[in-house]
Amino acid sequence: MADNQKDLYYIKDLPVPETPAAGKEPEPWDKTNIIGKRIPRVDGYERVSGTAVYPADINLPRMLYGAILRCPHPNARIRKVDISVAEKMPGIRSVLTNDNPAAKVKWQWAKGHEGPLFDPHCRFEGEAVAAVAADTPQQARDALHAILVDYEVLPFVIDERQALKSGAAKVHPDGNQVKKDSYSRGDVASGFAAASVIREHEFRTEAELHTPMELHGCVANWDGGSLTIWESSQGVYAVQSKVAATLGLPLSRVRVVGHYLGGGFGSKLQPGKYTIIAALLARQTARPVKLFLSREETFLCVGNRPPANMKIKAGVKQDGTLTALEFIATATGGAYPAGGTSILDWLVRDLYTCPNVRCETTDIFINGGPARPFRAPGHPQCSWALEQIMDELAEAIGMDPVELRLRNVPRVSQGRGGIPYTTTGLEECIRQGAEAFNWAEARQAASRMNQAGGHLKRGVGMGSCVWFVGGGGPPSTVIVKLFADGSVNLNMGASDIGTGTKTVMAMIVAEELGIKPELIQIENADTGTTQYATPSGGSKTVPTEAPTVRSATVEVKRQLLKMAAEDLNEPVDALRFDGEIVVSTRDSSKQVKITDIKQLNKRGVVIGIGYRGPNPEGKSVNPFAAQFCEVEVNTRTGEIRLLRFLGSNESGRVINRLTYDNQVFGGITMGIGMGMTEFRQFDAGQTGKLVNKNWHDYKLPTALDVPLQMTSLPIDLPDPEANNSGAKGLGEPVTIPTAAAIANAVCHATGVRITSTPLNPLQVMSSLANSRRKED
């Protein structure tokens, strides 16, 4: 390659960070050149042009198409499955049922809960009953209709509020209670006795369904005894592990590839039965099999955000000091243990300083699809209750809601026994967010408008949060290669779930080496060719992978300095990087281009390996956020119009401001869906079936439902104790307080506290009518 072509990789006159000595962690960045900028996605062209290859785009020679027959009842036993007609239909290559020896594998729902892949007792609508492989998708679907199943339809329970009552149908022989957890500190009775004001309310959030744009599914292909799966997944190594364990294969015999993902939000952190079924069909037919679920199937069997019923009691002194919090909740993860109450009470434990806290949560079985983690599990539900009761307390003592929260900002993680946070930006999120939103002025203007009369009412509300984790942690391994021409390859196992992970990691390499981010070639999410990584989710990807990528890149720099030292006859500690050259700090005339280093040209490549180190001992790494919104409520129709939203987030160092802001806006949009439009509706009276399993009847927020004015306000507070990149997680906290902030704004506008989601016109009008009746 010509020298002028080599030079294209590097950014001219760009100083790069100092290189630490071997064995030492790199120092936190001071002034940065690329980190913190608005950098377009390195794979943006591929995504928008349609050249990015998603798992659903995979087409292999002789490929078949799989489809799954699902139980239409919430609770039923299978007496008989008749496949005699289906297996003779044109194009049908294989039919699997529980009677087929090839399908005799166990599926583990959770530890201690496993059963047949095709379970004769179907405990929720959508459970797999049989599967087919055919030459075309249409032939596969037609064959499903030809399979005759004799069901013994059983009594069902689809409401966790009824499931523990005497006479309720049993989901499992031992009853419907999965577990009960409790937490306490201090003495809540004494805390309430010391309170000037006590408020108590019951709240409910409805179940929310993930329904990502890209459907769940995979392509499976066998090569002898080795299996390759192209899966729409948030973590290829997690899929590899589950598939290998289920099929009794060595990990080395299972390769999982997932370079692109069209949304997951937690529902693709694990494989599904469809993954195993595709692999079995492929083995039976000795041909590749593509099996992707229909949109309706994804509503039934690949997860949800559990509904929650919460009773919260709170006490406060007249000066705004919280004295006691009591939180009692029930929730359901569906027909199998799936984290129905997972960290549901964490905000009560940890968000605000309070010496006396008691929590009790009960997880309950119902005949519904099992839950899966959903962006910030448990937190948006708890926020719905806690943030509304905080506003109630503020009103009762005549204090501004912002001020009440500022009076109770914690400096330690109370839920973890009082260990300190590495950094805590909650106060800055609230204070700076309120200032940027013009909180005080907006509240006053809304009050003046409402006092003037009319059916349109304005309201301003807020909510804040902490996310349970967000500091990432080991294990993670990354390899960075620098070739003789100066080009760079980044190899990591992490999935880019649409959040810009590849771009962020390329920026870190670019910051350290002075190379253009878009010219870094990236390999990711392939268990056969990339390094081990845990699934991308829970706001752990950047704080886990970023320091690992930086460590690998720094190792490349160390080796280059050692090589350059021989060329320049200078000690290593007297050399530094200056863009595309290595220069002596003692004699600036002594310098060498990276691409001219003799050993690099002889070896052809320098390889740096990075490992994620442990999180700081005795410290808690957490991101914080606050959100502010203004609404207009039509008291004649119940319609709520969102006028503007501001999200302030403290997630450590901002790596890429462009993808950072997109995360904030996306999180707010998802929170709007939970708070205003989305809910799972069963037919409670007769069939127990899900009645809104499509995008027409299950309303996701669109561009018409979000405010025109959305603002992202980063509290850029690098956290050097968290990791060497200074970054913490962002994806979860951006959606936690949204629904509660809207509810508080609606209450400010109307004077009516609405305690159940969704805040749709029907709910609003019903609440307003009930309020008028009470006044009469």
Side-chain angles (χ1 to χ4, degrees):
M1 181 180 288
D3 285 346
N4 63 336
Q5 288 179 290
K6 294 178 182 180
D7 293 344
L8 292 176
Y9 293 116
Y10 290 90
I11 303 171
K12 295 291 185 182
D13 302 318
L14 182 71
V16 297
E18 293 296 322
T19 307
K24 288 188 177 181
E25 275 288 300
E27 291 294 321
W29 287 305
D30 184 13
K31 181 182 178 182
T32 58
N33 302 291
I34 296 171
I35 297 299
K37 301 292 193 298
R38 302 178 68 87
I39 304 294
R41 295 175 189 248
V42 295
D43 58 356
Y45 176 80
E46 288 80 3
R47 289 180 181 272
V48 301
S49 66
T51 57
V53 179
Y54 290 79
D57 296 324
I58 299 294
N59 285 299
L60 302 176
R62 303 178 66 246
M63 188 172 73
L64 301 175
Y65 296 86
I68 299 172
L69 180 67
R70 299 189 178 277
C71 178
H73 308 289
N75 195 16
R77 285 195 182 90
I78 298 173
R79 296 192 182 104
K80 183 182 179 182
V81 180
D82 183 353
I83 62 172
S84 58
V85 174
E87 61 187 355
K88 296 174 184 176
M89 293 177 69
I92 302 304
R93 304 298 177 178
S94 178
V95 181
L96 290 179
T97 71
N98 193 48
D99 296 327
N100 192 312
K104 295 293 185 180
V105 299
K106 293 291 185 181
W107 176 260
Q108 187 177 63
W109 293 101
K111 188 175 181 180
H113 278 263
E114 69 173 28
L117 184 66
F118 298 107
D119 197 328
H121 187 170
C122 300
R123 292 180 167 87
F124 62 94
E125 180 193 5
E127 176 62 291
V129 173
V132 302
D135 291 341
T136 70
Q138 294 77 17
Q139 289 172 330
R141 292 289 171 186
D142 288 345
L144 294 185
H145 292 299
I147 297 174
L148 301 178
V149 184
D150 181 13
Y151 293 102
E152 177 191 359
V153 180
L154 302 172
F156 60 83
V157 57
I158 43 92
D159 188 335
E160 72 283 357
R161 292 166 293 186
Q162 308 298 321
L164 297 184
K165 291 182 178 179
S166 176
K170 288 186 177 182
V171 180
H172 294 278
D174 293 337
N176 293 339
Q177 181 172 305
V178 183
K179 63 174 183 174
K180 180 178 284 189
D181 294 319
S182 61
Y183 167 86
S184 66
R185 65 172 180 262
D187 183 345
V188 292
S190 298
F192 286 124
S196 305
V197 170
I198 297 172
R199 288 292 182 267
E200 185 173 5
H201 272 303
E202 293 186 8
F203 295 89
R204 174 173 171 81
T205 55
E206 296 291 344
E208 189 181 10
L209 299 161
H210 298 79
T211 188
M213 183 74 74
E214 182 192 21
L215 300 169
H216 293 65
C218 68
V219 175
N221 186 42
W222 291 85
D223 182 3
S226 295
L227 172 65
T228 299
I229 296 173
W230 291 263
E231 173 116 359
S232 178
S233 171
Q234 294 176 237
V236 292
Y237 278 95
V239 175
Q240 179 197 47
S241 177
K242 177 89 175 199
V243 170
T246 303
L247 298 181
L249 296 170
L251 289 169
S252 60
R253 291 286 188 175
V254 180
R255 179 184 178 187
V256 182
V257 185
H259 294 146
Y260 287 92
L261 176 72
F265 313 117
S267 69
K268 296 177 182 176
L269 287 168
Q270 61 201 65
K273 282 190 176 183
Y274 53 83
T275 314
I276 304 301
I277 290 170
L280 294 177
L281 288 170
R283 186 158 61 184
Q284 277 286 96
T285 60
R287 292 171 65 174
V289 171
K290 175 183 282 190
L291 201 168
F292 275 80
L293 307 189
S294 67
R295 177 61 60 194
E296 290 76 14
E297 286 178 283
T298 67
F299 279 86
L300 294 171
C301 60
V302 289
N304 56 75
R305 187 190 297 284
N309 311 283
M310 300 161 286
K311 183 178 181 180
I312 187 166
K313 183 179 179 181
V316 65
K317 291 182 178 180
Q318 195 62 43
D319 66 358
T321 303
L322 289 175
T323 61
L325 290 169
E326 187 173 59
F327 181 80
I328 299 172
T330 60
T332 176
Y336 293 92
T341 55
S342 177
I343 49 180
L344 178 60
D345 60 352
W346 188 256
L347 292 180
V348 174
R349 298 189 194 190
D350 216 45
L351 179 56
Y352 298 117
T353 300
C354 187
N356 306 297
V357 176
R358 188 178 84 85
C359 301
E360 181 181 287
T361 58
T362 305
D363 196 354
I364 300 168
F365 288 127
I366 65 166
N367 294 114
R372 287 189 180 183
F374 195 146
R375 202 173 190 171
H379 285 52
Q381 300 99 301
C382 186
S383 177
W384 177 258
L386 177 61
E387 291 304 290
Q388 291 201 66
I389 209 73
M390 288 294 287
D391 266 33
E392 287 268 302
L393 294 176
E395 183 180 12
I397 62 174
M399 183 176 288
D400 186 274
V402 165
E403 182 59 30
L404 177 61
R405 288 167 172 84
L406 290 173
R407 294 281 179 96
N408 294 281
V409 169
R411 301 299 172 188
V412 298
S413 176
Q414 301 160 98
R416 294 183 172 89
I419 64 173
Y421 296 114
T422 49
T423 57
T424 171
L426 179 59
E427 180 177 348
E428 290 88 342
C429 286
I430 297 172
R431 197 179 297 280
Q432 293 183 34
E435 181 180 350
F437 192 77
N438 290 319
W439 168 265
E441 296 85 347
R443 294 272 289 190
Q444 293 168 7
S447 296
R448 286 195 299 270
M449 174 181 168
N450 297 338
Q451 289 168 5
H455 66 284
L456 296 178
K457 305 293 184 182
R458 288 282 178 97
V460 177
M462 72 155 297
S464 53
C465 75
V466 59
W467 168 231
F468 172 70
V469 284
S476 172
T477 302
V478 167
I479 292 178
V480 173
K481 300 177 185 177
L482 186 141
F483 295 93
D485 65 352
S487 61
V488 176
N489 169 274
L490 168 61
N491 182 291
M492 61 181 184
S495 298
D496 187 330
I497 59 177
T499 55
T501 298
K502 288 190 285 187
T503 306
V504 166
M505 303 310 154
M507 289 173 68
I508 291 168
V509 176
E511 182 71 39
E512 288 292 334
L513 293 177
I515 196 169
K516 298 173 183 177
E518 64 271 21
L519 297 178
I520 297 169
Q521 192 260 337
I522 301 172
E523 299 170 344
N524 78 303
D526 182 342
T527 63
T529 63
T530 64
Q531 311 313 303
Y532 183 84
T534 50
S536 294
S539 298
K540 52 73 59 182
T541 307
V542 166
T544 295
E545 309 303 332
T548 314
V549 170
R550 190 180 181 204
S551 293
T553 310
V554 166
E555 178 55 31
V556 168
K557 292 169 66 177
R558 289 190 185 115
Q559 294 182 50
L560 289 173
L561 287 180
K562 188 176 180 181
M563 294 176 180
E566 293 187 16
D567 289 357
L568 298 174
N569 195 26
E570 288 280 312
V572 171
D573 57 8
L575 300 178
R576 64 176 175 84
F577 283 88
D578 190 0
E580 61 184 322
I581 64 172
V582 176
V583 61
S584 170
T585 57
R586 301 189 303 185
D587 181 357
S588 60
S589 66
K590 285 191 171 184
Q591 56 182 252
V592 61
K593 274 190 174 183
I594 291 173
T595 52
D596 291 337
I597 295 175
K598 292 178 181 178
Q599 281 196 52
L600 173 60
N601 282 280
K602 184 177 181 180
R603 284 172 47 178
V605 64
V606 171
I607 299 174
I609 303 176
Y611 302 97
R612 177 59 158 90
N615 286 339
E617 191 172 344
K619 297 286 186 72
S620 185
V621 185
N622 298 88
F624 299 86
Q627 291 183 4
F628 304 81
C629 73
E630 184 172 4
V631 306
E632 182 179 85
V633 182
N634 187 324
T635 57
R636 291 177 180 171
T637 65
E639 293 174 285
I640 300 171
R641 189 161 68 98
L642 299 176
L643 303 178
R644 59 193 182 107
F645 235 106
L646 181 144
S648 56
N649 290 270
E650 190 275 289
S651 290
R653 184 185 296 277
V654 177
I655 305 292
N656 184 342
R657 180 62 192 272
L658 181 61
T659 56
Y660 185 104
D661 289 349
N662 288 341
Q663 278 278 70
V664 174
F665 301 147
I668 290 172
T669 301
M670 180 168 279
I672 290 169
M674 176 189 164
M676 297 183 64
T677 66
E678 299 180 49
F679 64 99
R680 178 179 65 182
Q681 181 63 60
F682 289 118
D683 174 16
Q686 298 182 38
T687 65
K689 293 167 66 68
L690 183 63
V691 299
N692 60 338
K693 53 178 183 286
N694 56 69
W695 277 354
H696 179 272
D697 298 319
Y698 184 87
K699 185 168 179 3
L700 294 168
T702 69
L704 297 177
D705 300 300
V706 300
L708 288 174
Q709 185 180 344
M710 283 202 285
T711 303
S712 168
L713 177 66
I715 308 300
D716 199 344
L717 190 64
D719 190 339
E721 286 192 88
N723 55 71
N724 67 41
S725 73
K728 300 190 287 189
L730 177 67
E732 262 63 24
V734 294
T735 202
I736 292 171
T738 307
I742 297 170
N744 284 334
V746 170
C747 183
H748 182 236
T750 64
V752 176
R753 178 67 61 190
I754 301 177
T755 58
S756 297
T757 65
L759 292 167
N760 57 23
L762 182 63
Q763 179 89 284
V764 172
M765 290 305 293
S766 175
S767 298
L768 291 176
N770 289 336
S771 176
R772 293 188 193 104
R773 280 194 291 269
K774 289 178 182 177
E775 290 175 359
D776 294 341

PDB file of all heavy atoms in Angstrom, residues 392-410:
ATOM      1  N   GLU A 392     -47.470  13.494  46.266  1.00  0.00           N
ATOM      2  CA  GLU A 392     -48.545  13.617  47.258  1.00  0.00           C
ATOM      3  C   GLU A 392     -48.002  14.210  48.556  1.00  0.00           C
ATOM      4  O   GLU A 392     -48.624  15.085  49.170  1.00  0.00           O
ATOM      5  CB  GLU A 392     -49.158  12.241  47.528  1.00  0.00           C
ATOM      6  CG  GLU A 392     -50.029  11.710  46.416  1.00  0.00           C
ATOM      7  CD  GLU A 392     -51.481  12.098  46.622  1.00  0.00           C
ATOM      8  OE1 GLU A 392     -52.058  11.748  47.672  1.00  0.00           O
ATOM      9  OE2 GLU A 392     -52.036  12.758  45.721  1.00  0.00           O
ATOM     10  N   LEU A 393     -46.842  13.726  48.993  1.00  0.00           N
ATOM     11  CA  LEU A 393     -46.227  14.234  50.218  1.00  0.00           C
ATOM     12  C   LEU A 393     -45.854  15.705  50.062  1.00  0.00           C
ATOM     13  O   LEU A 393     -46.065  16.513  50.979  1.00  0.00           O
ATOM     14  CB  LEU A 393     -44.982  13.417  50.565  1.00  0.00           C
ATOM     15  CG  LEU A 393     -45.184  11.951  50.947  1.00  0.00           C
ATOM     16  CD1 LEU A 393     -43.832  11.266  51.157  1.00  0.00           C
ATOM     17  CD2 LEU A 393     -46.039  11.816  52.198  1.00  0.00           C
ATOM     18  N   ALA A 394     -45.291  16.037  48.913  1.00  0.00           N
ATOM     19  CA  ALA A 394     -44.890  17.431  48.676  1.00  0.00           C
ATOM     20  C   ALA A 394     -46.090  18.366  48.771  1.00  0.00           C
ATOM     21  O   ALA A 394     -46.030  19.434  49.399  1.00  0.00           O
ATOM     22  CB  ALA A 394     -44.224  17.556  47.306  1.00  0.00           C
ATOM     23  N   GLU A 395     -47.196  17.964  48.164  1.00  0.00           N
ATOM     24  CA  GLU A 395     -48.403  18.795  48.216  1.00  0.00           C
ATOM     25  C   GLU A 395     -48.913  18.926  49.648  1.00  0.00           C
ATOM     26  O   GLU A 395     -49.341  20.001  50.083  1.00  0.00           O
ATOM     27  CB  GLU A 395     -49.483  18.191  47.318  1.00  0.00           C
ATOM     28  CG  GLU A 395     -50.754  19.033  47.260  1.00  0.00           C
ATOM     29  CD  GLU A 395     -51.812  18.414  46.375  1.00  0.00           C
ATOM     30  OE1 GLU A 395     -51.667  17.240  45.982  1.00  0.00           O
ATOM     31  OE2 GLU A 395     -52.814  19.107  46.084  1.00  0.00           O
ATOM     32  N   ALA A 396     -48.845  17.816  50.393  1.00  0.00           N
ATOM     33  CA  ALA A 396     -49.387  17.817  51.753  1.00  0.00           C
ATOM     34  C   ALA A 396     -48.630  18.751  52.686  1.00  0.00           C
ATOM     35  O   ALA A 396     -49.215  19.333  53.610  1.00  0.00           O
ATOM     36  CB  ALA A 396     -49.383  16.397  52.312  1.00  0.00           C
ATOM     37  N   ILE A 397     -47.314  18.896  52.471  1.00  0.00           N
ATOM     38  CA  ILE A 397     -46.525  19.769  53.361  1.00  0.00           C
ATOM     39  C   ILE A 397     -46.253  21.130  52.712  1.00  0.00           C
ATOM     40  O   ILE A 397     -45.497  21.936  53.268  1.00  0.00           O
ATOM     41  CB  ILE A 397     -45.196  19.101  53.772  1.00  0.00           C
ATOM     42  CG1 ILE A 397     -44.303  18.835  52.557  1.00  0.00           C
ATOM     43  CG2 ILE A 397     -45.462  17.811  54.548  1.00  0.00           C
ATOM     44  CD1 ILE A 397     -42.909  18.314  52.914  1.00  0.00           C
ATOM     45  N   GLY A 398     -46.847  21.380  51.553  1.00  0.00           N
ATOM     46  CA  GLY A 398     -46.681  22.669  50.901  1.00  0.00           C
ATOM     47  C   GLY A 398     -45.291  22.915  50.362  1.00  0.00           C
ATOM     48  O   GLY A 398     -44.802  24.047  50.372  1.00  0.00           O
ATOM     49  N   MET A 399     -44.634  21.866  49.871  1.00  0.00           N
ATOM     50  CA  MET A 399     -43.272  21.977  49.355  1.00  0.00           C
ATOM     51  C   MET A 399     -43.262  21.630  47.873  1.00  0.00           C
ATOM     52  O   MET A 399     -44.013  20.770  47.421  1.00  0.00           O
ATOM     53  CB  MET A 399     -42.338  21.037  50.134  1.00  0.00           C
ATOM     54  CG  MET A 399     -40.858  21.118  49.727  1.00  0.00           C
ATOM     55  SD  MET A 399     -39.803  20.076  50.762  1.00  0.00           S
ATOM     56  CE  MET A 399     -39.835  20.997  52.309  1.00  0.00           C
ATOM     57  N   ASP A 400     -42.406  22.286  47.114  1.00  0.00           N
ATOM     58  CA  ASP A 400     -42.273  21.981  45.700  1.00  0.00           C
ATOM     59  C   ASP A 400     -41.754  20.544  45.535  1.00  0.00           C
ATOM     60  O   ASP A 400     -40.860  20.108  46.272  1.00  0.00           O
ATOM     61  CB  ASP A 400     -41.302  22.962  45.045  1.00  0.00           C
ATOM     62  CG  ASP A 400     -41.230  22.777  43.542  1.00  0.00           C
ATOM     63  OD1 ASP A 400     -40.439  21.924  43.082  1.00  0.00           O
ATOM     64  OD2 ASP A 400     -41.977  23.464  42.835  1.00  0.00           O
ATOM     65  N   PRO A 401     -42.283  19.779  44.556  1.00  0.00           N
ATOM     66  CA  PRO A 401     -41.829  18.388  44.355  1.00  0.00           C
ATOM     67  C   PRO A 401     -40.330  18.276  44.104  1.00  0.00           C
ATOM     68  O   PRO A 401     -39.706  17.304  44.544  1.00  0.00           O
ATOM     69  CB  PRO A 401     -42.633  17.932  43.138  1.00  0.00           C
ATOM     70  CG  PRO A 401     -43.869  18.768  43.157  1.00  0.00           C
ATOM     71  CD  PRO A 401     -43.430  20.102  43.687  1.00  0.00           C
ATOM     72  N   VAL A 402     -39.764  19.230  43.409  1.00  0.00           N
ATOM     73  CA  VAL A 402     -38.317  19.210  43.176  1.00  0.00           C
ATOM     74  C   VAL A 402     -37.564  19.365  44.490  1.00  0.00           C
ATOM     75  O   VAL A 402     -36.607  18.637  44.780  1.00  0.00           O
ATOM     76  CB  VAL A 402     -37.912  20.323  42.182  1.00  0.00           C
ATOM     77  CG1 VAL A 402     -36.407  20.562  42.214  1.00  0.00           C
ATOM     78  CG2 VAL A 402     -38.346  19.960  40.770  1.00  0.00           C
ATOM     79  N   GLU A 403     -38.001  20.296  45.311  1.00  0.00           N
ATOM     80  CA  GLU A 403     -37.325  20.548  46.576  1.00  0.00           C
ATOM     81  C   GLU A 403     -37.415  19.347  47.505  1.00  0.00           C
ATOM     82  O   GLU A 403     -36.449  19.015  48.201  1.00  0.00           O
ATOM     83  CB  GLU A 403     -37.932  21.784  47.246  1.00  0.00           C
ATOM     84  CG  GLU A 403     -37.258  22.182  48.560  1.00  0.00           C
ATOM     85  CD  GLU A 403     -35.776  22.488  48.416  1.00  0.00           C
ATOM     86  OE1 GLU A 403     -35.362  22.949  47.329  1.00  0.00           O
ATOM     87  OE2 GLU A 403     -35.032  22.257  49.384  1.00  0.00           O
ATOM     88  N   LEU A 404     -38.572  18.685  47.537  1.00  0.00           N
ATOM     89  CA  LEU A 404     -38.713  17.501  48.392  1.00  0.00           C
ATOM     90  C   LEU A 404     -37.705  16.432  48.000  1.00  0.00           C
ATOM     91  O   LEU A 404     -37.069  15.814  48.875  1.00  0.00           O
ATOM     92  CB  LEU A 404     -40.130  16.938  48.306  1.00  0.00           C
ATOM     93  CG  LEU A 404     -40.376  15.643  49.102  1.00  0.00           C
ATOM     94  CD1 LEU A 404     -40.144  15.863  50.594  1.00  0.00           C
ATOM     95  CD2 LEU A 404     -41.771  15.102  48.835  1.00  0.00           C
ATOM     96  N   ARG A 405     -37.538  16.229  46.732  1.00  0.00           N
ATOM     97  CA  ARG A 405     -36.583  15.212  46.284  1.00  0.00           C
ATOM     98  C   ARG A 405     -35.155  15.621  46.623  1.00  0.00           C
ATOM     99  O   ARG A 405     -34.346  14.786  47.050  1.00  0.00           O
ATOM    100  CB  ARG A 405     -36.763  14.959  44.781  1.00  0.00           C
ATOM    101  CG  ARG A 405     -38.062  14.192  44.465  1.00  0.00           C
ATOM    102  CD  ARG A 405     -38.397  14.214  42.980  1.00  0.00           C
ATOM    103  NE  ARG A 405     -39.522  13.341  42.653  1.00  0.00           N
ATOM    104  CZ  ARG A 405     -40.800  13.679  42.770  1.00  0.00           C
ATOM    105  NH1 ARG A 405     -41.139  14.889  43.225  1.00  0.00           N
ATOM    106  NH2 ARG A 405     -41.757  12.820  42.446  1.00  0.00           N
ATOM    107  N   LEU A 406     -34.834  16.887  46.438  1.00  0.00           N
ATOM    108  CA  LEU A 406     -33.491  17.351  46.763  1.00  0.00           C
ATOM    109  C   LEU A 406     -33.181  17.213  48.247  1.00  0.00           C
ATOM    110  O   LEU A 406     -32.019  17.009  48.637  1.00  0.00           O
ATOM    111  CB  LEU A 406     -33.317  18.809  46.324  1.00  0.00           C
ATOM    112  CG  LEU A 406     -33.256  19.056  44.808  1.00  0.00           C
ATOM    113  CD1 LEU A 406     -33.251  20.554  44.515  1.00  0.00           C
ATOM    114  CD2 LEU A 406     -32.010  18.404  44.203  1.00  0.00           C
ATOM    115  N   ARG A 407     -34.194  17.310  49.084  1.00  0.00           N
ATOM    116  CA  ARG A 407     -33.986  17.167  50.531  1.00  0.00           C
ATOM    117  C   ARG A 407     -33.611  15.734  50.919  1.00  0.00           C
ATOM    118  O   ARG A 407     -33.152  15.491  52.036  1.00  0.00           O
ATOM    119  CB  ARG A 407     -35.266  17.548  51.282  1.00  0.00           C
ATOM    120  CG  ARG A 407     -35.657  19.018  51.178  1.00  0.00           C
ATOM    121  CD  ARG A 407     -34.843  19.892  52.125  1.00  0.00           C
ATOM    122  NE  ARG A 407     -35.225  21.292  51.993  1.00  0.00           N
ATOM    123  CZ  ARG A 407     -36.104  21.906  52.775  1.00  0.00           C
ATOM    124  NH1 ARG A 407     -36.710  21.215  53.741  1.00  0.00           N
ATOM    125  NH2 ARG A 407     -36.386  23.182  52.581  1.00  0.00           N
ATOM    126  N   ASN A 408     -33.857  14.786  50.018  1.00  0.00           N
ATOM    127  CA  ASN A 408     -33.689  13.372  50.371  1.00  0.00           C
ATOM    128  C   ASN A 408     -32.766  12.617  49.417  1.00  0.00           C
ATOM    129  O   ASN A 408     -32.898  11.405  49.232  1.00  0.00           O
ATOM    130  CB  ASN A 408     -35.068  12.696  50.401  1.00  0.00           C
ATOM    131  CG  ASN A 408     -35.945  13.233  51.512  1.00  0.00           C
ATOM    132  OD1 ASN A 408     -35.805  12.868  52.674  1.00  0.00           O
ATOM    133  ND2 ASN A 408     -36.852  14.147  51.157  1.00  0.00           N
ATOM    134  N   VAL A 409     -31.807  13.335  48.826  1.00  0.00           N
ATOM    135  CA  VAL A 409     -30.835  12.695  47.937  1.00  0.00           C
ATOM    136  C   VAL A 409     -29.846  11.871  48.757  1.00  0.00           C
ATOM    137  O   VAL A 409     -29.223  12.401  49.686  1.00  0.00           O
ATOM    138  CB  VAL A 409     -30.087  13.751  47.101  1.00  0.00           C
ATOM    139  CG1 VAL A 409     -28.904  13.126  46.372  1.00  0.00           C
ATOM    140  CG2 VAL A 409     -31.035  14.407  46.100  1.00  0.00           C
ATOM    141  N   PRO A 410     -29.671  10.592  48.457  1.00  0.00           N
ATOM    142  CA  PRO A 410     -28.742   9.760  49.237  1.00  0.00           C
ATOM    143  C   PRO A 410     -27.304   9.888  48.744  1.00  0.00           C
ATOM    144  O   PRO A 410     -27.067  10.206  47.571  1.00  0.00           O
ATOM    145  CB  PRO A 410     -29.266   8.346  48.994  1.00  0.00           C
ATOM    146  CG  PRO A 410     -29.835   8.408  47.603  1.00  0.00           C
ATOM    147  CD  PRO A 410     -30.389   9.806  47.438  1.00  0.00           C
TER     148      PRO A 410
END
